[in-house]
Amino acid sequence: MRSNRLFMMVLANLRRSRNHFLLASIGIVVGIATFAFFLSLGLGVRQVVLGKIFPLDKLEVIPKSLEVDVGPIRMGMGRDVLDDEMVAKIKALPGVKAVYPKMKLTVGSIAYGGEALFGTDLRSEIVADGIDPDLMTEEIDRDGYEFADFDAPERLAEEPLVPCTKDEECGKKMYCGPPAGSTVERGGTKAKAKPKPRPKPKPRPKPKTIDAKIPTRTLAPPTAPPGTQATPPKPATSPSPATPKPGASPRPATASAPAIPGASASAQPGSPSPTTPGTGAAPPGTPRTVPRTPTPKAAEPEPEPEPAKVCRHFVPVIVSNHVVELYNGTLRRAHNFPQLNPDAVRGFTFDLIVGESMVLASNKDRVVHDRGMFVGFSDKAIPLGITLPLGYVQRYNVEFGNAEDAQRYHSVIVEVPVKDDVAMVAKGVEDLELQVKDSGAEQAALLIAVFMMVFGLVSAVIVGIAAVNIMHVFFMLVYERQREIGVMRAVGATRGDIGRIILGEAASLGMMAGTAGLLLAVTAASIFDQVSARYVPDFPYKPTTYFDFPWWLIVASLAFSVSFCVLGALLPARRAARMEPARVLSGN
Amino acid sequence: MIRVRGMHKSYRTGKLVTPVLHGVDLEIEDGEMVSIVGPSGSGKSTLLHAIGGLDRDYEGTIEVDGRDLHAMNDVELSAYRNRHVGFVFQTFNLLQHQTCAENVALPSLFARGKQVMSHGQALERAREVLARVDLSDKVDAAPTTLSGGQRQRVAIARALFNEPQLMLCDEPTGNLDSAMGAAIMDLFCRLNREDGITVVIVTHDPRIASATHRRVRVQDGRVLEDEGDDDLAATPRAEAAGEAKAEASADGGDERAEGTAEADDEERRAEG
């Protein structure tokens, strides 16, 4: 029996008995609508909860520490950081695809700016951490924005510095500022009401011996043509005979040339060494050894040479959606600020002053004055604060700490592509005396799974009852059509042919009822979303849609519907196939 | 050639067993036109259905062209019914929701192997067969709009669709008035004569039986008589059918359409 002719016959039969089938399929339609509606609701909510509130795709591993409460103080025992060796061990665990160390900024810092957004400049103490930019490539790097370590030594070596005097001279998404790595004395540069024009930072020598791995600031020789009247910056470092031993005093006021192999290599020894007016005494190749704490107000006759300004990339900054939710949901109301559209905030710039704090005791005697730019929002960012590419945080921490700080990670994001491997990786992490940070995701996931299972079960019961109804209708139809079935057998239909016709009708009915149920579910979902958008007040993480209809849910709904209809028609089809044609046709 | 040997058949209703056929032996040659006559409940229809492969629940053997029907599985038996047998029933058994052509093309739906054809080809073939039963103008008509005789001709066309060697007719004129019955008998005779189709007709009407070459009387589950026409040449079957028609009482079926009813009325008036 050719399938296309079978299909035509089946459709004709369905048309013929449409009233019976319409009634019989109501249960299936309702059941499938329930199934699709609640499953898609569960999936949609899970997407919000697990994707935004508790991301579960990547585990965060933190050091296991025993904490002892001593009065109001909680004393951490054991280490609270991870080093490169430990990171390598985590990466070696089976099931782990990649590891991305995270580091917290261990020095006070201030963000300043925001007039364009809030109508007034804001000044805020900020909490920051650094994550591997590779982790964010897919999420952030688009529309010309990039979450990358622009000040990484390798990158600085490739991009020659362009001297400038004002922002307009620099390219898009760049500004004119002191060379990377410059620090200025805090007192003289304290951001006041308006930091513009920004205080001129003074170069500071790299006083420490830094491991080659530690990102360093390097000034490549300027590429300004010789005729250009610009003050080229000095090369940051160059090979020097006076290489201090590792672990040398980290903060000499004037240090000898740091031994930074990477930096040294990037100094392009072959290129002509620029000279700086005023520091001409310094022989070419001399590292920047400008005194770190010159007092501008001092009555020294010879003014400190101003470091050249160069075009710099903004420090790319991402913030968590939590921050947006917190701002839009609560904070803005307190200050009567406008509600922010996260997409439009991209490109917003502000001053980032590292080393300065509202907590007076945390103030350093010098600060790094960079400018930051919001490049995007991500749930991988620190929940409250800003997240920078790891290299920046490493350099800031080293700048205000010591060389070892470059590998004192506070946590590691572990990417486990296969969900089933999560338990195994968690076990491996435990064995390394570390722990997986509990985000509450498991409980939330369990809750949603239970919700979906309950409603899945409810819809299965509805569809099951409907299948019984379908069975009843098919038994009736088989009885009504027994003479017709007898004729078909007489003209050559096998038992299988008869069964296929009945089951084909059931499958087609299931397909139609399933489609109708899906349409009903989608319609109900859209009404639900519209009602929510219109009448439900905003709340944190309020989604634009609560539903998710992935392709597999549609396929599963249809398969569910078809299989239950076929299941219901199985016994009637069997009876039809086994009918004795002779008895039916002779009317006995 | 059909050879029935020692056929026994009983119907079971719960614990009640009703024997119908008790050791029937019968041979029918190719190209014969045979009637099986006997009173109601004598088992003639049961015998017909078994020969047609509609019923396998019997004892004994039925061989058709040397093949034992009892030994065939469902698919083989279905193929046998599809290709080699054409059934014609008393109540026509047309599918009311299909057109005449679709009804006639029904066997093509269950064709296998080389017999498989498309819907278009099947309808084309149905038109040809309907033309053979003089119903070219009713191709797209619904069976409900036809007279009883026309319906039976559609049913005959359906039986002829796959050019069977054997035509099994179960009281084919039982629901028709005598004129219509005679016309149908005439058609069977023509098919037998011109196409060499073996025709087996079950009837309780001796006049219909007399229009066939050979009459097999079944009574109480046994073949009681088996008589053949020796003067076939002298009595053309069509004429015999005509005589039967003239004498037949107007016990026309309730399936008759208006046209047929009118014809019957005229006939009654003539008789009256």
Side-chain angles (χ1 to χ4, degrees):
Chain A
M1 192 170 179
R2 280 163 65 136
S3 51
N4 59 335
R5 297 196 64 188
L6 168 72
F7 187 64
M8 281 166 64
M9 182 171 208
V10 159
L11 287 187
N13 287 346
L14 286 179
R15 222 176 13 251
R16 191 151 51 108
S17 310
R18 56 183 171 274
N19 289 341
H20 286 309
F21 286 129
L22 208 63
L23 287 172
S25 61
I26 286 175
I28 296 281
V29 173
V30 171
I32 294 301
T34 311
F35 176 79
F37 182 86
F38 284 106
L39 236 64
S40 73
L41 178 63
L43 291 171
V45 170
R46 189 163 76 167
Q47 223 167 50
V48 175
V49 174
L50 297 188
K52 292 186 177 163
I53 304 175
F54 311 111
L56 190 63
D57 51 343
K58 293 185 175 68
L59 302 175
E60 185 163 6
V61 174
I62 53 172
K64 190 185 257 178
S65 60
L66 275 173
E67 287 169 341
V68 181
D69 289 342
V70 183
I73 309 292
R74 179 163 285 183
M75 302 278 287
M77 294 172 73
R79 58 187 173 167
D80 68 341
V81 290
L82 301 159
D83 55 13
D84 279 339
E85 191 188 346
M86 193 53 91
V87 172
K89 280 184 186 168
I90 298 170
K91 189 171 184 183
L93 289 175
V96 173
K97 184 184 170 199
V99 290
Y100 304 96
K102 279 174 86 169
M103 182 180 281
K104 291 193 166 52
L105 185 63
T106 53
V107 58
S109 52
I110 292 278
Y112 184 86
E115 189 174 7
L117 285 180
F118 312 110
T120 178
D121 277 329
L122 303 178
R123 180 182 164 82
S124 170
E125 178 88 21
I126 54 165
V127 175
D129 73 353
I131 61 172
D132 194 328
D134 291 346
L135 196 59
M136 303 305 305
T137 310
E138 283 176 25
E139 214 170 324
I140 299 294
D141 294 356
R142 58 187 160 86
D143 307 336
Y145 293 105
E146 199 183 344
F147 186 73
D149 187 1
F150 296 106
D151 289 350
E154 313 84 65
R155 195 143 176 167
L156 284 178
E158 284 169 18
E159 291 179 14
L161 293 186
V162 180
C164 63
T165 52
K166 50 184 192 281
D167 290 352
E168 289 73 27
E169 293 170 18
C170 299
K172 226 178 164 188
K173 297 196 173 66
M174 293 183 89
Y175 70 102
C176 187
S182 316
T183 57
V184 292
E185 186 207 359
R186 189 180 64 82
T189 60
K190 191 165 182 177
K192 297 191 178 77
K194 254 197 181 303
K196 289 176 186 174
R198 281 189 306 285
K200 291 170 181 169
K202 292 179 178 159
R204 196 184 68 81
K206 294 297 293 173
K208 301 174 285 289
T209 301
I210 300 172
D211 185 298
K213 199 176 173 308
I214 302 169
T216 56
R217 301 171 188 82
T218 308
L219 278 180
T223 52
T228 314
Q229 185 47 47
T231 314
K234 294 178 204 172
T237 56
S238 61
S240 163
T243 305
K245 289 178 184 174
S249 169
R251 258 178 232 172
T254 54
S256 53
I260 306 171
S264 304
S266 67
Q268 301 182 9
S271 62
S273 299
T275 55
T276 308
T279 54
T286 306
R288 287 188 297 162
T289 53
V290 182
R292 181 164 45 81
T293 53
T295 45
K297 283 177 263 173
E300 283 174 22
E302 45 183 41
E304 205 56 47
E306 290 292 333
K309 281 191 176 180
V310 293
C311 288
R312 292 204 38 205
H313 286 277
F314 288 95
V315 177
V317 167
I318 55 172
V319 298
S320 161
N321 288 314
H322 289 269
V323 175
V324 185
E325 289 296 334
L326 186 70
Y327 171 84
N328 276 342
T330 311
L331 203 61
R332 69 178 180 89
R333 298 179 202 274
H335 303 283
N336 206 18
F337 288 152
Q339 187 159 358
L340 290 183
N341 165 16
D343 283 339
V345 180
R346 296 183 94 185
F348 164 71
T349 63
F350 61 96
D351 284 22
L352 179 64
I353 305 150
V354 183
E356 184 162 312
S357 172
M358 289 174 169
V359 180
L360 293 178
S362 301
N363 277 317
K364 307 289 181 191
D365 53 356
R366 64 187 195 288
V367 296
V368 172
H369 204 138
D370 281 340
R371 301 198 68 200
M373 176 188 274
F374 278 117
V375 295
F377 293 86
S378 167
D379 297 306
K380 297 190 188 82
I382 190 169
L384 204 58
I386 61 172
T387 294
L388 318 175
L390 184 64
Y392 288 98
V393 176
Q394 282 177 313
R395 286 190 296 273
Y396 294 145
N397 285 351
V398 169
E399 178 77 44
F400 295 98
N402 54 49
E404 289 76 40
D405 288 346
Q407 53 165 299
R408 288 168 66 86
Y409 308 112
H410 296 95
S411 66
V412 175
I413 300 283
V414 179
E415 189 177 347
V416 185
V418 183
K419 273 197 172 148
D420 295 343
D421 289 347
V422 169
M424 185 174 69
V425 172
K427 175 77 173 61
V429 164
E430 291 282 320
D431 292 346
L432 291 174
E433 309 239 312
L434 305 170
Q435 61 182 359
V436 176
K437 193 173 171 186
D438 181 20
S439 61
E442 281 174 31
Q443 288 92 330
L446 183 70
L447 203 69
I448 294 166
V450 168
F451 165 86
M452 283 164 72
M453 266 168 61
V454 166
F455 280 99
L457 204 68
V458 168
S459 55
V461 168
I462 298 176
V463 175
I465 293 170
V468 174
N469 193 20
I470 294 270
M471 179 158 69
H472 184 77
V473 168
F474 270 101
F475 267 130
M476 194 181 68
L477 284 175
V478 164
Y479 181 77
E480 271 181 16
R481 288 198 213 148
Q482 54 179 346
R483 187 170 282 269
E484 182 182 322
I485 292 166
V487 172
M488 287 191 212
R489 296 274 283 139
V491 299
T494 60
R495 289 172 195 264
D497 288 334
I498 300 298
R500 270 192 287 279
I501 290 170
I502 303 289
L503 294 182
E505 286 173 27
S508 305
L509 181 70
M511 201 63 163
M512 290 178 199
T515 308
L518 272 173
L519 288 176
L520 191 64
V522 171
T523 311
S526 122
I527 291 171
F528 190 99
D529 280 341
Q530 280 174 25
V531 168
S532 160
R534 193 167 295 175
Y535 300 110
V536 178
D538 280 0
F539 57 86
Y541 295 103
K542 185 182 172 188
T544 49
T545 176
Y546 297 84
F547 301 89
D548 180 27
F549 286 95
W551 66 267
W552 65 259
L553 178 62
I554 292 164
V555 172
S557 302
L558 292 178
F560 188 29
S561 170
V562 169
S563 54
F564 268 69
C565 279
V566 167
L567 212 64
L570 219 51
L571 282 179
R574 205 172 105 111
R575 177 178 288 183
R578 291 188 170 192
M579 204 174 268
E580 287 178 41
R583 186 173 283 213
V584 175
L585 290 170
S586 58
N588 294 324
Chain B
M1 175 171 183
I2 300 164
R3 181 178 288 135
V4 182
R5 284 274 172 273
M7 185 184 166
H8 290 261
K9 166 82 185 176
S10 306
Y11 284 115
R12 282 168 196 278
T13 314
K15 286 182 179 175
L16 185 69
V17 178
T18 315
V20 182
L21 296 174
H22 314 277
V24 171
D25 295 311
L26 181 68
E27 283 185 14
I28 299 172
E29 296 293 334
D30 289 345
E32 268 194 292
M33 186 160 178
V34 184
S35 59
I36 301 175
V37 292
S40 293
S42 58
K44 52 191 191 301
S45 291
T46 303
L47 181 61
L48 190 82
H49 290 149
I51 292 171
L54 274 180
D55 189 357
R56 279 202 302 170
D57 185 19
Y58 56 83
E59 288 165 40
T61 57
I62 300 177
E63 282 178 19
V64 177
D65 294 335
R67 292 184 301 166
D68 183 4
L69 298 190
H70 213 290
M72 289 185 188
N73 63 27
D74 180 52
V75 175
E76 288 166 341
L77 208 57
S78 298
Y80 161 74
R81 290 195 302 269
N82 184 253
R83 286 182 210 160
H84 302 288
V85 183
F87 280 100
V88 179
F89 303 98
Q90 179 178 359
T91 51
F92 323 131
N93 286 330
L94 298 178
L95 308 186
Q96 307 296 329
H97 61 284
Q98 294 189 340
T99 64
C100 290
E102 284 168 344
N103 264 289
V104 172
L106 191 65
S108 73
L109 237 137
F110 307 104
R112 283 177 168 74
K114 290 177 186 171
Q115 306 284 320
V116 171
M117 56 178 81
S118 71
H119 186 61
Q121 287 170 323
L123 287 183
E124 189 50 43
R125 165 86 186 131
R127 279 193 197 95
E128 289 171 26
V129 186
L130 278 169
R132 276 178 70 186
V133 296
D134 302 323
L135 282 177
S136 300
D137 55 335
K138 300 292 182 190
V139 169
D140 295 319
T144 45
T145 63
L146 303 183
S147 70
Q150 285 171 327
R151 288 184 205 190
Q152 193 59 299
R153 276 189 282 158
V154 173
I156 292 169
R158 181 177 64 194
L160 289 173
F161 186 85
N162 277 338
E163 295 177 339
Q165 295 125 2
L166 176 62
M167 199 162 225
L168 302 173
C169 315
D170 191 359
E171 305 272 9
T173 58
N175 270 5
L176 302 178
D177 61 51
S178 51
M180 287 292 166
I184 292 299
M185 280 308 293
D186 190 28
L187 182 56
F188 286 135
C189 292
R190 184 152 58 92
L191 290 170
N192 171 252
R193 191 175 57 238
E194 293 175 5
D195 299 330
I197 298 173
T198 309
V199 179
V200 181
I201 299 172
V202 163
T203 180
H204 64 272
D205 185 341
R207 281 160 295 191
I208 295 293
S210 67
T212 59
H213 299 179
R214 180 179 157 197
R215 288 159 296 281
V216 176
R217 174 169 297 276
V218 178
Q219 199 162 335
D220 300 329
R222 287 191 178 82
V223 176
L224 208 67
E225 284 174 35
D226 190 345
E227 57 166 12
D229 267 346
D230 293 329
D231 54 347
L232 277 177
T235 319
R237 285 175 292 283
E239 283 176 26
E243 286 167 23
K245 173 188 73 178
E247 292 167 24
S249 61
D251 59 346
D254 38 20
E255 299 266 346
R256 281 173 296 176
E258 284 174 22
T260 327
E262 281 170 23
D264 270 6
D265 289 342
E266 282 176 23
E267 209 169 293
R268 282 201 195 95
R269 278 195 295 277
E271 283 172 5

